[in-house]
mmCIF file with all atom_site columns, all heavy atoms in Angstrom:
data_model
loop_
_atom_site.group_PDB
_atom_site.id
_atom_site.type_symbol
_atom_site.label_atom_id
_atom_site.label_alt_id
_atom_site.label_comp_id
_atom_site.label_asym_id
_atom_site.label_entity_id
_atom_site.label_seq_id
_atom_site.pdbx_PDB_ins_code
_atom_site.Cartn_x
_atom_site.Cartn_y
_atom_site.Cartn_z
_atom_site.occupancy
_atom_site.B_iso_or_equiv
_atom_site.pdbx_formal_charge
_atom_site.auth_seq_id
_atom_site.auth_comp_id
_atom_site.auth_asym_id
_atom_site.auth_atom_id
_atom_site.pdbx_PDB_model_num
ATOM 1   N N   . PRO A 1 1  ? -11.186 22.439 -20.412 1.00 96.00 ? 1  PRO A N   1
ATOM 2   C CA  . PRO A 1 1  ? -10.767 23.488 -21.376 1.00 96.00 ? 1  PRO A CA  1
ATOM 3   C C   . PRO A 1 1  ? -11.222 23.244 -22.788 1.00 96.00 ? 1  PRO A C   1
ATOM 4   O O   . PRO A 1 1  ? -11.114 24.152 -23.660 1.00 96.00 ? 1  PRO A O   1
ATOM 5   C CB  . PRO A 1 1  ? -9.216  23.538 -21.231 1.00 96.00 ? 1  PRO A CB  1
ATOM 6   C CG  . PRO A 1 1  ? -8.866  22.150 -20.786 1.00 96.00 ? 1  PRO A CG  1
ATOM 7   C CD  . PRO A 1 1  ? -9.948  21.761 -19.828 1.00 96.00 ? 1  PRO A CD  1
ATOM 8   N N   . ALA A 1 2  ? -11.615 22.066 -23.120 1.00 97.00 ? 2  ALA A N   1
ATOM 9   C CA  . ALA A 1 2  ? -12.024 21.692 -24.525 1.00 97.00 ? 2  ALA A CA  1
ATOM 10  C C   . ALA A 1 2  ? -13.036 22.621 -25.046 1.00 97.00 ? 2  ALA A C   1
ATOM 11  O O   . ALA A 1 2  ? -12.998 23.003 -26.271 1.00 97.00 ? 2  ALA A O   1
ATOM 12  C CB  . ALA A 1 2  ? -12.435 20.251 -24.568 1.00 97.00 ? 2  ALA A CB  1
ATOM 13  N N   . HIS A 1 3  ? -14.012 23.023 -24.268 1.00 98.00 ? 3  HIS A N   1
ATOM 14  C CA  . HIS A 1 3  ? -15.118 23.847 -24.742 1.00 98.00 ? 3  HIS A CA  1
ATOM 15  C C   . HIS A 1 3  ? -14.602 25.163 -25.291 1.00 98.00 ? 3  HIS A C   1
ATOM 16  O O   . HIS A 1 3  ? -14.938 25.555 -26.435 1.00 98.00 ? 3  HIS A O   1
ATOM 17  C CB  . HIS A 1 3  ? -16.087 24.099 -23.614 1.00 98.00 ? 3  HIS A CB  1
ATOM 18  C CG  . HIS A 1 3  ? -16.900 22.868 -23.260 1.00 98.00 ? 3  HIS A CG  1
ATOM 19  N ND1 . HIS A 1 3  ? -18.031 22.422 -24.007 1.00 98.00 ? 3  HIS A ND1 1
ATOM 20  C CD2 . HIS A 1 3  ? -16.754 22.012 -22.242 1.00 98.00 ? 3  HIS A CD2 1
ATOM 21  C CE1 . HIS A 1 3  ? -18.492 21.376 -23.390 1.00 98.00 ? 3  HIS A CE1 1
ATOM 22  N NE2 . HIS A 1 3  ? -17.802 21.080 -22.335 1.00 98.00 ? 3  HIS A NE2 1
ATOM 23  N N   . ALA A 1 4  ? -13.754 25.847 -24.488 1.00 98.00 ? 4  ALA A N   1
ATOM 24  C CA  . ALA A 1 4  ? -13.240 27.171 -24.950 1.00 98.00 ? 4  ALA A CA  1
ATOM 25  C C   . ALA A 1 4  ? -12.308 26.973 -26.077 1.00 98.00 ? 4  ALA A C   1
ATOM 26  O O   . ALA A 1 4  ? -12.261 27.722 -27.094 1.00 98.00 ? 4  ALA A O   1
ATOM 27  C CB  . ALA A 1 4  ? -12.580 27.898 -23.777 1.00 98.00 ? 4  ALA A CB  1
ATOM 28  N N   . ARG A 1 5  ? -11.441 25.919 -26.080 1.00 98.00 ? 5  ARG A N   1
ATOM 29  C CA  . ARG A 1 5  ? -10.467 25.664 -27.135 1.00 98.00 ? 5  ARG A CA  1
ATOM 30  C C   . ARG A 1 5  ? -11.236 25.450 -28.464 1.00 98.00 ? 5  ARG A C   1
ATOM 31  O O   . ARG A 1 5  ? -10.871 26.042 -29.486 1.00 98.00 ? 5  ARG A O   1
ATOM 32  C CB  . ARG A 1 5  ? -9.646  24.363 -26.839 1.00 98.00 ? 5  ARG A CB  1
ATOM 33  C CG  . ARG A 1 5  ? -8.730  24.462 -25.685 1.00 98.00 ? 5  ARG A CG  1
ATOM 34  C CD  . ARG A 1 5  ? -8.126  23.125 -25.420 1.00 98.00 ? 5  ARG A CD  1
ATOM 35  N NE  . ARG A 1 5  ? -7.124  23.082 -24.315 1.00 98.00 ? 5  ARG A NE  1
ATOM 36  C CZ  . ARG A 1 5  ? -6.516  22.048 -23.907 1.00 98.00 ? 5  ARG A CZ  1
ATOM 37  N NH1 . ARG A 1 5  ? -6.767  20.879 -24.487 1.00 98.00 ? 5  ARG A NH1 1
ATOM 38  N NH2 . ARG A 1 5  ? -5.624  22.138 -22.917 1.00 98.00 ? 5  ARG A NH2 1
ATOM 39  N N   . LYS A 1 6  ? -12.236 24.600 -28.468 1.00 98.00 ? 6  LYS A N   1
ATOM 40  C CA  . LYS A 1 6  ? -12.947 24.315 -29.726 1.00 98.00 ? 6  LYS A CA  1
ATOM 41  C C   . LYS A 1 6  ? -13.700 25.546 -30.233 1.00 98.00 ? 6  LYS A C   1
ATOM 42  O O   . LYS A 1 6  ? -13.792 25.742 -31.459 1.00 98.00 ? 6  LYS A O   1
ATOM 43  C CB  . LYS A 1 6  ? -13.908 23.146 -29.469 1.00 98.00 ? 6  LYS A CB  1
ATOM 44  C CG  . LYS A 1 6  ? -13.159 21.828 -29.236 1.00 98.00 ? 6  LYS A CG  1
ATOM 45  C CD  . LYS A 1 6  ? -14.118 20.730 -28.766 1.00 98.00 ? 6  LYS A CD  1
ATOM 46  C CE  . LYS A 1 6  ? -15.082 20.298 -29.816 1.00 98.00 ? 6  LYS A CE  1
ATOM 47  N NZ  . LYS A 1 6  ? -15.909 19.158 -29.380 1.00 98.00 ? 6  LYS A NZ  1
ATOM 48  N N   . GLY A 1 7  ? -14.209 26.376 -29.289 1.00 98.00 ? 7  GLY A N   1
ATOM 49  C CA  . GLY A 1 7  ? -14.852 27.593 -29.746 1.00 98.00 ? 7  GLY A CA  1
ATOM 50  C C   . GLY A 1 7  ? -13.893 28.508 -30.470 1.00 98.00 ? 7  GLY A C   1
ATOM 51  O O   . GLY A 1 7  ? -14.187 29.040 -31.549 1.00 98.00 ? 7  GLY A O   1
ATOM 52  N N   . ALA A 1 8  ? -12.683 28.688 -29.915 1.00 98.00 ? 8  ALA A N   1
ATOM 53  C CA  . ALA A 1 8  ? -11.676 29.501 -30.577 1.00 98.00 ? 8  ALA A CA  1
ATOM 54  C C   . ALA A 1 8  ? -11.229 28.897 -31.949 1.00 98.00 ? 8  ALA A C   1
ATOM 55  O O   . ALA A 1 8  ? -11.115 29.612 -32.880 1.00 98.00 ? 8  ALA A O   1
ATOM 56  C CB  . ALA A 1 8  ? -10.465 29.658 -29.644 1.00 98.00 ? 8  ALA A CB  1
ATOM 57  N N   . ALA A 1 9  ? -11.051 27.577 -31.967 1.00 98.00 ? 9  ALA A N   1
ATOM 58  C CA  . ALA A 1 9  ? -10.661 26.903 -33.204 1.00 98.00 ? 9  ALA A CA  1
ATOM 59  C C   . ALA A 1 9  ? -11.713 27.145 -34.297 1.00 98.00 ? 9  ALA A C   1
ATOM 60  O O   . ALA A 1 9  ? -11.395 27.341 -35.475 1.00 98.00 ? 9  ALA A O   1
ATOM 61  C CB  . ALA A 1 9  ? -10.363 25.472 -32.952 1.00 98.00 ? 9  ALA A CB  1
ATOM 62  N N   . ARG A 1 10 ? -12.959 27.043 -33.909 1.00 98.00 ? 10 ARG A N   1
ATOM 63  C CA  . ARG A 1 10 ? -14.056 27.197 -34.845 1.00 98.00 ? 10 ARG A CA  1
ATOM 64  C C   . ARG A 1 10 ? -14.065 28.622 -35.372 1.00 98.00 ? 10 ARG A C   1
ATOM 65  O O   . ARG A 1 10 ? -14.252 28.910 -36.583 1.00 98.00 ? 10 ARG A O   1
ATOM 66  C CB  . ARG A 1 10 ? -15.381 26.805 -34.265 1.00 98.00 ? 10 ARG A CB  1
ATOM 67  C CG  . ARG A 1 10 ? -16.571 27.090 -35.123 1.00 98.00 ? 10 ARG A CG  1
ATOM 68  C CD  . ARG A 1 10 ? -16.617 26.239 -36.332 1.00 98.00 ? 10 ARG A CD  1
ATOM 69  N NE  . ARG A 1 10 ? -17.869 26.382 -37.094 1.00 98.00 ? 10 ARG A NE  1
ATOM 70  C CZ  . ARG A 1 10 ? -17.978 26.178 -38.397 1.00 98.00 ? 10 ARG A CZ  1
ATOM 71  N NH1 . ARG A 1 10 ? -16.898 25.781 -39.116 1.00 98.00 ? 10 ARG A NH1 1
ATOM 72  N NH2 . ARG A 1 10 ? -19.144 26.297 -39.012 1.00 98.00 ? 10 ARG A NH2 1
ATOM 73  N N   . LEU A 1 11 ? -13.897 29.602 -34.499 1.00 98.00 ? 11 LEU A N   1
ATOM 74  C CA  . LEU A 1 11 ? -13.891 30.983 -34.948 1.00 98.00 ? 11 LEU A CA  1
ATOM 75  C C   . LEU A 1 11 ? -12.721 31.261 -35.871 1.00 98.00 ? 11 LEU A C   1
ATOM 76  O O   . LEU A 1 11 ? -12.843 31.986 -36.884 1.00 98.00 ? 11 LEU A O   1
ATOM 77  C CB  . LEU A 1 11 ? -13.746 31.930 -33.685 1.00 98.00 ? 11 LEU A CB  1
ATOM 78  C CG  . LEU A 1 11 ? -14.986 32.048 -32.874 1.00 98.00 ? 11 LEU A CG  1
ATOM 79  C CD1 . LEU A 1 11 ? -14.658 32.642 -31.478 1.00 98.00 ? 11 LEU A CD1 1
ATOM 80  C CD2 . LEU A 1 11 ? -16.033 32.928 -33.566 1.00 98.00 ? 11 LEU A CD2 1
ATOM 81  N N   . LYS A 1 12 ? -11.569 30.651 -35.582 1.00 98.00 ? 12 LYS A N   1
ATOM 82  C CA  . LYS A 1 12 ? -10.406 30.839 -36.476 1.00 98.00 ? 12 LYS A CA  1
ATOM 83  C C   . LYS A 1 12 ? -10.695 30.213 -37.831 1.00 98.00 ? 12 LYS A C   1
ATOM 84  O O   . LYS A 1 12 ? -10.372 30.829 -38.904 1.00 98.00 ? 12 LYS A O   1
ATOM 85  C CB  . LYS A 1 12 ? -9.171  30.176 -35.881 1.00 98.00 ? 12 LYS A CB  1
ATOM 86  C CG  . LYS A 1 12 ? -7.885  30.437 -36.640 1.00 98.00 ? 12 LYS A CG  1
ATOM 87  C CD  . LYS A 1 12 ? -6.671  29.966 -35.876 1.00 98.00 ? 12 LYS A CD  1
ATOM 88  C CE  . LYS A 1 12 ? -5.398  30.383 -36.521 1.00 98.00 ? 12 LYS A CE  1
ATOM 89  N NZ  . LYS A 1 12 ? -4.202  30.126 -35.683 1.00 98.00 ? 12 LYS A NZ  1
ATOM 90  N N   . GLU A 1 13 ? -11.337 29.092 -37.880 1.00 98.00 ? 13 GLU A N   1
ATOM 91  C CA  . GLU A 1 13 ? -11.700 28.503 -39.132 1.00 98.00 ? 13 GLU A CA  1
ATOM 92  C C   . GLU A 1 13 ? -12.616 29.385 -39.974 1.00 98.00 ? 13 GLU A C   1
ATOM 93  O O   . GLU A 1 13 ? -12.498 29.450 -41.201 1.00 98.00 ? 13 GLU A O   1
ATOM 94  C CB  . GLU A 1 13 ? -12.444 27.140 -38.855 1.00 98.00 ? 13 GLU A CB  1
ATOM 95  C CG  . GLU A 1 13 ? -12.986 26.452 -40.084 1.00 98.00 ? 13 GLU A CG  1
ATOM 96  C CD  . GLU A 1 13 ? -13.848 25.276 -39.716 1.00 98.00 ? 13 GLU A CD  1
ATOM 97  O OE1 . GLU A 1 13 ? -13.723 24.689 -38.608 1.00 98.00 ? 13 GLU A OE1 1
ATOM 98  O OE2 . GLU A 1 13 ? -14.799 24.950 -40.577 1.00 98.00 ? 13 GLU A OE2 1
ATOM 99  N N   . LEU A 1 14 ? -13.532 30.114 -39.243 1.00 98.00 ? 14 LEU A N   1
ATOM 100 C CA  . LEU A 1 14 ? -14.448 30.990 -39.957 1.00 98.00 ? 14 LEU A CA  1
ATOM 101 C C   . LEU A 1 14 ? -13.829 32.335 -40.293 1.00 98.00 ? 14 LEU A C   1
ATOM 102 O O   . LEU A 1 14 ? -14.495 33.188 -40.927 1.00 98.00 ? 14 LEU A O   1
ATOM 103 C CB  . LEU A 1 14 ? -15.657 31.238 -39.045 1.00 98.00 ? 14 LEU A CB  1
ATOM 104 C CG  . LEU A 1 14 ? -16.564 29.988 -38.770 1.00 98.00 ? 14 LEU A CG  1
ATOM 105 C CD1 . LEU A 1 14 ? -17.594 30.322 -37.724 1.00 98.00 ? 14 LEU A CD1 1
ATOM 106 C CD2 . LEU A 1 14 ? -17.225 29.540 -40.049 1.00 98.00 ? 14 LEU A CD2 1
ATOM 107 N N   . GLY A 1 15 ? -12.553 32.546 -39.870 1.00 97.00 ? 15 GLY A N   1
ATOM 108 C CA  . GLY A 1 15 ? -11.938 33.854 -40.166 1.00 97.00 ? 15 GLY A CA  1
ATOM 109 C C   . GLY A 1 15 ? -12.419 34.982 -39.272 1.00 97.00 ? 15 GLY A C   1
ATOM 110 O O   . GLY A 1 15 ? -12.267 36.128 -39.607 1.00 97.00 ? 15 GLY A O   1
ATOM 111 N N   . GLN A 1 16 ? -13.037 34.605 -38.137 1.00 97.00 ? 16 GLN A N   1
ATOM 112 C CA  . GLN A 1 16 ? -13.561 35.598 -37.210 1.00 97.00 ? 16 GLN A CA  1
ATOM 113 C C   . GLN A 1 16 ? -12.486 35.984 -36.167 1.00 97.00 ? 16 GLN A C   1
ATOM 114 O O   . GLN A 1 16 ? -11.737 35.150 -35.682 1.00 97.00 ? 16 GLN A O   1
ATOM 115 C CB  . GLN A 1 16 ? -14.734 34.969 -36.439 1.00 97.00 ? 16 GLN A CB  1
ATOM 116 C CG  . GLN A 1 16 ? -15.970 34.746 -37.310 1.00 97.00 ? 16 GLN A CG  1
ATOM 117 C CD  . GLN A 1 16 ? -16.773 35.984 -37.501 1.00 97.00 ? 16 GLN A CD  1
ATOM 118 O OE1 . GLN A 1 16 ? -16.587 37.026 -36.819 1.00 97.00 ? 16 GLN A OE1 1
ATOM 119 N NE2 . GLN A 1 16 ? -17.655 35.958 -38.457 1.00 97.00 ? 16 GLN A NE2 1
ATOM 120 N N   . PRO A 1 17 ? -12.385 37.277 -35.860 1.00 98.00 ? 17 PRO A N   1
ATOM 121 C CA  . PRO A 1 17 ? -11.416 37.684 -34.825 1.00 98.00 ? 17 PRO A CA  1
ATOM 122 C C   . PRO A 1 17 ? -11.828 37.197 -33.457 1.00 98.00 ? 17 PRO A C   1
ATOM 123 O O   . PRO A 1 17 ? -13.035 37.149 -33.131 1.00 98.00 ? 17 PRO A O   1
ATOM 124 C CB  . PRO A 1 17 ? -11.436 39.222 -34.936 1.00 98.00 ? 17 PRO A CB  1
ATOM 125 C CG  . PRO A 1 17 ? -12.771 39.563 -35.533 1.00 98.00 ? 17 PRO A CG  1
ATOM 126 C CD  . PRO A 1 17 ? -13.122 38.453 -36.442 1.00 98.00 ? 17 PRO A CD  1
ATOM 127 N N   . TYR A 1 18 ? -10.824 36.883 -32.657 1.00 98.00 ? 18 TYR A N   1
ATOM 128 C CA  . TYR A 1 18 ? -11.113 36.414 -31.287 1.00 98.00 ? 18 TYR A CA  1
ATOM 129 C C   . TYR A 1 18 ? -9.836  36.471 -30.506 1.00 98.00 ? 18 TYR A C   1
ATOM 130 O O   . TYR A 1 18 ? -8.721  36.678 -31.065 1.00 98.00 ? 18 TYR A O   1
ATOM 131 C CB  . TYR A 1 18 ? -11.597 34.921 -31.312 1.00 98.00 ? 18 TYR A CB  1
ATOM 132 C CG  . TYR A 1 18 ? -10.505 33.945 -31.734 1.00 98.00 ? 18 TYR A CG  1
ATOM 133 C CD1 . TYR A 1 18 ? -9.685  33.349 -30.780 1.00 98.00 ? 18 TYR A CD1 1
ATOM 134 C CD2 . TYR A 1 18 ? -10.292 33.728 -33.061 1.00 98.00 ? 18 TYR A CD2 1
ATOM 135 C CE1 . TYR A 1 18 ? -8.645  32.492 -31.178 1.00 98.00 ? 18 TYR A CE1 1
ATOM 136 C CE2 . TYR A 1 18 ? -9.282  32.840 -33.498 1.00 98.00 ? 18 TYR A CE2 1
ATOM 137 C CZ  . TYR A 1 18 ? -8.464  32.230 -32.507 1.00 98.00 ? 18 TYR A CZ  1
ATOM 138 O OH  . TYR A 1 18 ? -7.418  31.409 -32.894 1.00 98.00 ? 18 TYR A OH  1
ATOM 139 N N   . PHE A 1 19 ? -9.876  36.362 -29.169 1.00 98.00 ? 19 PHE A N   1
ATOM 140 C CA  . PHE A 1 19 ? -8.726  36.219 -28.325 1.00 98.00 ? 19 PHE A CA  1
ATOM 141 C C   . PHE A 1 19 ? -8.930  34.891 -27.528 1.00 98.00 ? 19 PHE A C   1
ATOM 142 O O   . PHE A 1 19 ? -10.073 34.570 -27.137 1.00 98.00 ? 19 PHE A O   1
ATOM 143 C CB  . PHE A 1 19 ? -8.562  37.349 -27.340 1.00 98.00 ? 19 PHE A CB  1
ATOM 144 C CG  . PHE A 1 19 ? -8.288  38.668 -28.004 1.00 98.00 ? 19 PHE A CG  1
ATOM 145 C CD1 . PHE A 1 19 ? -9.294  39.589 -28.217 1.00 98.00 ? 19 PHE A CD1 1
ATOM 146 C CD2 . PHE A 1 19 ? -7.036  38.937 -28.455 1.00 98.00 ? 19 PHE A CD2 1
ATOM 147 C CE1 . PHE A 1 19 ? -8.981  40.811 -28.843 1.00 98.00 ? 19 PHE A CE1 1
ATOM 148 C CE2 . PHE A 1 19 ? -6.653  40.153 -29.072 1.00 98.00 ? 19 PHE A CE2 1
ATOM 149 C CZ  . PHE A 1 19 ? -7.701  41.070 -29.268 1.00 98.00 ? 19 PHE A CZ  1
ATOM 150 N N   . TYR A 1 20 ? -7.854  34.203 -27.277 1.00 98.00 ? 20 TYR A N   1
ATOM 151 C CA  . TYR A 1 20 ? -7.918  32.963 -26.480 1.00 98.00 ? 20 TYR A CA  1
ATOM 152 C C   . TYR A 1 20 ? -6.733  33.036 -25.484 1.00 98.00 ? 20 TYR A C   1
ATOM 153 O O   . TYR A 1 20 ? -5.608  33.283 -25.847 1.00 98.00 ? 20 TYR A O   1
ATOM 154 C CB  . TYR A 1 20 ? -7.855  31.690 -27.329 1.00 98.00 ? 20 TYR A CB  1
ATOM 155 C CG  . TYR A 1 20 ? -7.935  30.456 -26.444 1.00 98.00 ? 20 TYR A CG  1
ATOM 156 C CD1 . TYR A 1 20 ? -9.176  29.975 -26.129 1.00 98.00 ? 20 TYR A CD1 1
ATOM 157 C CD2 . TYR A 1 20 ? -6.847  29.809 -25.957 1.00 98.00 ? 20 TYR A CD2 1
ATOM 158 C CE1 . TYR A 1 20 ? -9.371  28.836 -25.311 1.00 98.00 ? 20 TYR A CE1 1
ATOM 159 C CE2 . TYR A 1 20 ? -6.988  28.682 -25.152 1.00 98.00 ? 20 TYR A CE2 1
ATOM 160 C CZ  . TYR A 1 20 ? -8.222  28.187 -24.815 1.00 98.00 ? 20 TYR A CZ  1
ATOM 161 O OH  . TYR A 1 20 ? -8.325  27.122 -24.006 1.00 98.00 ? 20 TYR A OH  1
ATOM 162 N N   . PHE A 1 21 ? -7.052  32.650 -24.222 1.00 98.00 ? 21 PHE A N   1
ATOM 163 C CA  . PHE A 1 21 ? -5.976  32.420 -23.239 1.00 98.00 ? 21 PHE A CA  1
ATOM 164 C C   . PHE A 1 21 ? -6.347  31.256 -22.411 1.00 98.00 ? 21 PHE A C   1
ATOM 165 O O   . PHE A 1 21 ? -7.458  31.092 -21.966 1.00 98.00 ? 21 PHE A O   1
ATOM 166 C CB  . PHE A 1 21 ? -5.821  33.703 -22.361 1.00 98.00 ? 21 PHE A CB  1
ATOM 167 C CG  . PHE A 1 21 ? -4.725  33.548 -21.368 1.00 98.00 ? 21 PHE A CG  1
ATOM 168 C CD1 . PHE A 1 21 ? -3.361  33.643 -21.748 1.00 98.00 ? 21 PHE A CD1 1
ATOM 169 C CD2 . PHE A 1 21 ? -4.962  33.304 -20.031 1.00 98.00 ? 21 PHE A CD2 1
ATOM 170 C CE1 . PHE A 1 21 ? -2.381  33.485 -20.830 1.00 98.00 ? 21 PHE A CE1 1
ATOM 171 C CE2 . PHE A 1 21 ? -3.965  33.175 -19.088 1.00 98.00 ? 21 PHE A CE2 1
ATOM 172 C CZ  . PHE A 1 21 ? -2.651  33.247 -19.496 1.00 98.00 ? 21 PHE A CZ  1
ATOM 173 N N   . GLU A 1 22 ? -5.338  30.463 -22.058 1.00 96.00 ? 22 GLU A N   1
ATOM 174 C CA  . GLU A 1 22 ? -5.484  29.307 -21.141 1.00 96.00 ? 22 GLU A CA  1
ATOM 175 C C   . GLU A 1 22 ? -4.527  29.405 -20.006 1.00 96.00 ? 22 GLU A C   1
ATOM 176 O O   . GLU A 1 22 ? -3.305  29.430 -20.224 1.00 96.00 ? 22 GLU A O   1
ATOM 177 C CB  . GLU A 1 22 ? -5.353  27.999 -21.880 1.00 96.00 ? 22 GLU A CB  1
ATOM 178 C CG  . GLU A 1 22 ? -5.745  26.811 -21.096 1.00 96.00 ? 22 GLU A CG  1
ATOM 179 C CD  . GLU A 1 22 ? -5.895  25.553 -21.977 1.00 96.00 ? 22 GLU A CD  1
ATOM 180 O OE1 . GLU A 1 22 ? -6.552  25.633 -23.021 1.00 96.00 ? 22 GLU A OE1 1
ATOM 181 O OE2 . GLU A 1 22 ? -5.383  24.497 -21.559 1.00 96.00 ? 22 GLU A OE2 1
ATOM 182 N N   . ASP A 1 23 ? -5.067  29.485 -18.783 1.00 93.00 ? 23 ASP A N   1
ATOM 183 C CA  . ASP A 1 23 ? -4.268  29.393 -17.599 1.00 93.00 ? 23 ASP A CA  1
ATOM 184 C C   . ASP A 1 23 ? -3.791  27.980 -17.445 1.00 93.00 ? 23 ASP A C   1
ATOM 185 O O   . ASP A 1 23 ? -4.556  27.043 -17.258 1.00 93.00 ? 23 ASP A O   1
ATOM 186 C CB  . ASP A 1 23 ? -5.103  29.847 -16.374 1.00 93.00 ? 23 ASP A CB  1
ATOM 187 C CG  . ASP A 1 23 ? -4.353  29.703 -15.107 1.00 93.00 ? 23 ASP A CG  1
ATOM 188 O OD1 . ASP A 1 23 ? -3.148  29.513 -15.132 1.00 93.00 ? 23 ASP A OD1 1
ATOM 189 O OD2 . ASP A 1 23 ? -5.013  29.818 -14.015 1.00 93.00 ? 23 ASP A OD2 1
ATOM 190 N N   . MET A 1 24 ? -2.479  27.743 -17.529 1.00 88.00 ? 24 MET A N   1
ATOM 191 C CA  . MET A 1 24 ? -1.942  26.385 -17.487 1.00 88.00 ? 24 MET A CA  1
ATOM 192 C C   . MET A 1 24 ? -1.553  25.952 -16.094 1.00 88.00 ? 24 MET A C   1
ATOM 193 O O   . MET A 1 24 ? -0.939  24.869 -15.975 1.00 88.00 ? 24 MET A O   1
ATOM 194 C CB  . MET A 1 24 ? -0.713  26.352 -18.452 1.00 88.00 ? 24 MET A CB  1
ATOM 195 C CG  . MET A 1 24 ? -1.088  26.676 -19.890 1.00 88.00 ? 24 MET A CG  1
ATOM 196 S SD  . MET A 1 24 ? 0.229   26.547 -21.120 1.00 88.00 ? 24 MET A SD  1
ATOM 197 C CE  . MET A 1 24 ? 0.294   24.763 -21.316 1.00 88.00 ? 24 MET A CE  1
ATOM 198 N N   . THR A 1 25 ? -2.041  26.687 -15.051 1.00 78.00 ? 25 THR A N   1
ATOM 199 C CA  . THR A 1 25 ? -1.685  26.290 -13.717 1.00 78.00 ? 25 THR A CA  1
ATOM 200 C C   . THR A 1 25 ? -2.950  26.100 -12.808 1.00 78.00 ? 25 THR A C   1
ATOM 201 O O   . THR A 1 25 ? -2.972  25.296 -11.910 1.00 78.00 ? 25 THR A O   1
ATOM 202 C CB  . THR A 1 25 ? -0.826  27.273 -13.013 1.00 78.00 ? 25 THR A CB  1
ATOM 203 O OG1 . THR A 1 25 ? -1.450  28.559 -13.019 1.00 78.00 ? 25 THR A OG1 1
ATOM 204 C CG2 . THR A 1 25 ? 0.519   27.441 -13.740 1.00 78.00 ? 25 THR A CG2 1
ATOM 205 N N   . GLY A 1 26 ? -4.042  26.849 -13.058 1.00 65.00 ? 26 GLY A N   1
ATOM 206 C CA  . GLY A 1 26 ? -5.158  26.849 -12.154 1.00 65.00 ? 26 GLY A CA  1
ATOM 207 C C   . GLY A 1 26 ? -6.225  25.802 -12.511 1.00 65.00 ? 26 GLY A C   1
ATOM 208 O O   . GLY A 1 26 ? -6.140  25.082 -13.556 1.00 65.00 ? 26 GLY A O   1
ATOM 209 N N   . GLY A 1 27 ? -7.196  25.648 -11.616 1.00 61.00 ? 27 GLY A N   1
ATOM 210 C CA  . GLY A 1 27 ? -8.330  24.752 -11.852 1.00 61.00 ? 27 GLY A CA  1
ATOM 211 C C   . GLY A 1 27 ? -9.546  25.438 -12.423 1.00 61.00 ? 27 GLY A C   1
ATOM 212 O O   . GLY A 1 27 ? -9.387  26.377 -13.232 1.00 61.00 ? 27 GLY A O   1
ATOM 213 N N   . HIS A 1 28 ? -10.719 25.023 -11.996 1.00 58.00 ? 28 HIS A N   1
ATOM 214 C CA  . HIS A 1 28 ? -11.988 25.527 -12.584 1.00 58.00 ? 28 HIS A CA  1
ATOM 215 C C   . HIS A 1 28 ? -12.144 27.005 -12.448 1.00 58.00 ? 28 HIS A C   1
ATOM 216 O O   . HIS A 1 28 ? -12.705 27.679 -13.305 1.00 58.00 ? 28 HIS A O   1
ATOM 217 C CB  . HIS A 1 28 ? -13.156 24.816 -11.964 1.00 58.00 ? 28 HIS A CB  1
ATOM 218 C CG  . HIS A 1 28 ? -14.508 25.249 -12.495 1.00 58.00 ? 28 HIS A CG  1
ATOM 219 N ND1 . HIS A 1 28 ? -14.850 25.027 -13.841 1.00 58.00 ? 28 HIS A ND1 1
ATOM 220 C CD2 . HIS A 1 28 ? -15.559 25.868 -11.944 1.00 58.00 ? 28 HIS A CD2 1
ATOM 221 C CE1 . HIS A 1 28 ? -16.091 25.506 -14.018 1.00 58.00 ? 28 HIS A CE1 1
ATOM 222 N NE2 . HIS A 1 28 ? -16.522 26.034 -12.869 1.00 58.00 ? 28 HIS A NE2 1
ATOM 223 N N   . SER A 1 29 ? -11.599 27.573 -11.344 1.00 57.00 ? 29 SER A N   1
ATOM 224 C CA  . SER A 1 29 ? -11.749 29.017 -11.111 1.00 57.00 ? 29 SER A CA  1
ATOM 225 C C   . SER A 1 29 ? -10.568 29.884 -11.572 1.00 57.00 ? 29 SER A C   1
ATOM 226 O O   . SER A 1 29 ? -10.543 31.044 -11.381 1.00 57.00 ? 29 SER A O   1
ATOM 227 C CB  . SER A 1 29 ? -12.002 29.312 -9.603  1.00 57.00 ? 29 SER A CB  1
ATOM 228 O OG  . SER A 1 29 ? -13.150 28.612 -9.185  1.00 57.00 ? 29 SER A OG  1
ATOM 229 N N   . GLY A 1 30 ? -9.624  29.278 -12.235 1.00 57.00 ? 30 GLY A N   1
ATOM 230 C CA  . GLY A 1 30 ? -8.497  30.020 -12.781 1.00 57.00 ? 30 GLY A CA  1
ATOM 231 C C   . GLY A 1 30 ? -7.281  29.975 -11.862 1.00 57.00 ? 30 GLY A C   1
ATOM 232 O O   . GLY A 1 30 ? -7.074  28.974 -11.209 1.00 57.00 ? 30 GLY A O   1
#
């Protein structure tokens, strides 16, 4: 999940709108 997390964090730093969601139960396929 680090890849998506870091992308969202970078967008937030830039003031860019985005949505982020992390499935906290599933594996690679969700």
Side-chain angles (χ1 to χ4, degrees):
H3 289 280
R5 292 174 179 178
K6 291 170 66 175
R10 176 64 174 154
L11 286 163
K12 186 169 189 174
E13 176 190 335
L14 295 172
Q16 291 280 345
Y18 68 92
F19 294 101
Y20 182 85
F21 181 76
E22 188 165 314
D23 175 12
M24 301 184 76
T25 60
H28 181 63
S29 299

